[in-house]
Amino acid sequence: MTTDTTAAPTVDLFAQDFAADPFPVLADLRRTAPVHYDPATRLWLVSRDKDIRKVLLDPATYRNDNALGAVLPLRLPALRILDRAGFKTLPPALFNNSDATHPALRGAVLRLLSAQRVRDALPMIEKITREELDRMAAELETTGRYDLARGPARAIPVRVMLEMLGIPRAERADVTTVADWTDAFITLFWGRTDKDRQRELAHQVADFHTWLCGLAALRDAPADSLPGALARARMPDGSPVSPEVVVAVCSNLMIAGHVTTSQLLRTAAYRALESDGRWQALARDPDRAEGWIEETLRREPSLTAWRRVTSRATTLGGVDLPRGAQLLLLLTSAGTDPEAHEEPERICPVRGAGRGHLGFGLGRHRCPGAELARAEGRVVLAALATRFPQLRLLAPRRPPFLELVSFRAPTRLDVTHGPRAGREAAHPA
Ligand code: HEM
């Protein structure tokens, strides 16, 4: 493929248009400027599947130290609020750890999220799903409408995560509060917000941090819980994991375990509902849910983009990069790169090479929660379609999307259940 560098597009990574439909801009980037400097964020945008793979498989040259910093600088009032809560920069844990301590911390987490533990957790996931869909049915019955983005898609991942990570019941904050905290976290660090909004978000992040410190103090928790596993883990020099690092690992897990899966559910449901026939096909054959989830992960993954920083001067995609160059790996672009996937724009739940995508990353930092996320996605989407076979979207047809650099999903999905009535049936929206 040739690169037409005369026509590199201007990208606004925070704009609603880009969030709702990033595909044309990503195609332009791949074609004209596959490693493109964005002055607004000072990030090099990497858009081709092959270049992203190269980066992910070379963690010595492309470190992840910069993965969790604020994409845009935070204002002083927000920083003061975080500082008063004792929230400083997160020390290296998982997402931001390229050092020798990473394998020990990752090992503790991998054991909690193993394929066997996910299989054993299926009855729990199904039970939580049934309970949340009961709530949804009751509200649909009373009001005739429901916002899918705020219901089961939000509650189920939080509840499942608290169970999987063995957080003792007495220590659990309520589900909506955890969801609000983690949403505030990603908005503050990956969004473009003004001073007042930053202040509000910082208060929520400060409360979240205080709760995490309480979890990290549970040194006697059972070994099959996150706090207990971290209390028993040892660093390469034999020392225990410091309280600050335990807080950081808990924070990584709470955010990654909830927001990404919630976004996956919302995006998968939206795509299945947006055109006539797809939802009904899913209701008739719920085994299709697995393929739907896989295609969503490929084509529009919840983690749309992730950062790396170069440890030395290097060349990527024909572009010379200095030491310290900050990269943004555009995972959505990799999933829609025609050099990597046939007819990438088409959602095809029976696509053979389904799992060859980068929706869960690759290499040393590949997502340890992938099987849990897949299982949740499959169970919830199949249960939604069989329980509500006549679910359909209410206007607007194109919902608003999160305006964040690394996370993407519809923020509102108003639905109703039942056949179209009278004029509505004659004039489908
Ligand atoms: C749809 C759901 C999910 C998506 C799309 C997703 C995506 C990703 C991606 C792309 C990475 C690689 C980041 C990198 O290369 O630096 C990653 C890492 C990670 N994910 Fe997930 N994830 C999901 C669900 C989960 C769940 C359910 C958990 C835990 C309960 C989880 C925990 C983590 C952790 C701890 C890491 C860091 C691993 C490391 O650096 O060693 N994720 N995830």
Side-chain angles (χ1 to χ4, degrees):
M1 179 186 277
T2 53
T3 304
D4 171 11
T5 48
T6 53
T10 316
V11 192
D12 180 354
L13 295 168
F14 303 93
Q16 181 55 219
D17 279 351
F18 179 71
D21 183 12
F23 304 109
V25 173
L26 296 177
D28 267 6
L29 279 174
R30 283 193 303 270
R31 190 172 46 82
T32 61
V35 180
H36 171 72
Y37 185 70
D38 173 41
T41 54
R42 300 180 183 186
L43 292 166
W44 290 87
L45 312 182
V46 184
S47 50
R48 284 184 188 165
D49 177 276
K50 66 177 179 195
D51 294 331
I52 295 177
R53 280 176 199 270
K54 183 176 168 191
V55 171
L56 292 174
L57 291 174
D58 183 359
T61 307
Y62 302 97
R63 293 172 58 93
N64 66 359
D65 309 323
N66 62 338
L68 300 181
V71 175
L72 297 176
L74 298 185
R75 312 284 284 271
L76 215 54
L79 290 173
R80 283 208 192 98
I81 293 164
L82 296 177
D83 195 51
R84 274 202 299 276
F87 181 102
K88 308 242 161 31
T89 318
L90 285 174
L94 293 165
F95 277 110
N96 58 344
N97 190 351
S98 293
D99 296 329
T101 56
H102 175 261
L105 298 169
R106 184 173 165 94
V109 166
L110 278 174
R111 278 189 288 282
L112 292 177
L113 298 172
S114 69
Q116 184 59 49
R117 272 183 57 103
V118 172
R119 273 195 294 279
D120 294 345
L122 279 175
M124 173 270 286
I125 298 173
E126 285 161 358
K127 177 171 176 289
I128 288 176
T129 302
R130 268 195 309 278
E131 288 169 3
E132 293 300 330
L133 296 194
D134 284 348
R135 278 185 229 270
M136 174 173 162
E139 193 172 325
L140 269 170
E141 179 96 14
T142 324
T143 64
R145 60 189 299 152
Y146 193 78
D147 177 8
L148 212 51
R150 300 203 68 77
R154 235 172 150 234
I156 295 170
V158 174
R159 292 184 60 189
V160 168
M161 190 182 56
L162 294 175
E163 291 291 335
M164 279 305 281
L165 301 183
I167 305 303
R169 283 183 188 274
E171 305 298 331
R172 290 185 190 177
D174 80 60
V175 169
T176 313
T177 305
V178 176
D180 287 347
W181 282 338
T182 48
D183 283 348
F185 194 101
I186 61 169
T187 310
L188 184 62
F189 291 104
W190 281 271
R192 180 167 59 193
T193 43
D194 64 20
K195 199 166 70 177
D196 292 339
R197 180 81 179 118
Q198 283 190 6
R199 204 184 282 131
E200 280 168 35
L201 294 166
H203 279 298
Q204 287 179 284
V205 171
D207 290 346
F208 178 46
H209 182 72
T210 306
W211 179 66
L212 291 172
C213 291
L215 293 187
L218 302 173
R219 314 286 297 174
D220 298 331
D224 63 353
S225 70
L226 182 63
L230 292 171
R232 287 163 181 82
R234 289 293 171 267
M235 297 283 90
D237 63 2
S239 64
V241 184
S242 73
E244 296 75 28
V245 173
V246 175
V247 171
V249 176
C250 291
S251 163
N252 285 188
L253 263 287
M254 290 296 155
I255 290 159
H258 161 242
V259 292
T260 51
T261 313
S262 166
Q263 289 160 9
L264 169 67
L265 295 173
R266 289 187 252 165
T267 307
Y270 168 56
R271 290 299 176 208
L273 286 164
E274 78 172 335
S275 45
D276 280 343
R278 282 180 183 166
W279 189 258
Q280 291 74 8
L282 201 54
R284 280 193 303 275
D285 180 8
D287 286 349
R288 285 178 182 226
E290 187 170 358
W292 262 108
I293 291 297
E294 214 53 46
E295 275 294 81
T296 310
L297 288 162
R298 171 189 68 80
R299 187 174 173 273
E300 31 193 348
S302 342
L303 215 58
T304 53
W306 210 241
R307 278 172 286 173
R308 289 291 191 269
V309 55
T310 53
S311 61
R312 59 176 177 85
T314 188
T315 303
L316 182 67
V319 173
D320 291 333
L321 297 171
R323 179 170 185 266
Q326 310 232 21
L327 312 185
L328 186 69
L329 310 178
L330 300 171
L331 301 175
T332 311
S333 179
T336 46
D337 184 343
E339 292 206 352
H341 305 277
E342 228 170 273
E343 289 190 88
E345 286 298 330
R346 199 160 70 87
I347 303 175
C348 176
V350 290
R351 195 179 283 269
R355 293 195 169 209
H357 59 72
L358 296 178
F360 288 121
L362 185 70
R364 184 178 165 164
H365 295 278
R366 189 182 177 279
C367 179
E371 291 318 308
L372 177 62
R374 282 186 167 119
E376 274 186 71
R378 196 177 66 232
V379 167
V380 177
L381 193 62
L384 253 179
T386 43
R387 178 101 183 245
F388 304 103
Q390 292 183 319
L391 204 67
R392 56 195 171 80
L393 289 172
L394 293 166
R397 292 292 275 187
R398 192 177 95 175
F401 276 74
L402 281 170
E403 294 169 342
L404 304 178
V405 160
S406 289
F407 299 87
R408 177 172 182 272
T411 53
R412 201 177 167 100
L413 270 184
D414 288 320
V415 292
T416 189
H417 188 234
R420 288 182 205 282
R423 283 181 56 205
E424 211 189 351
H427 305 285

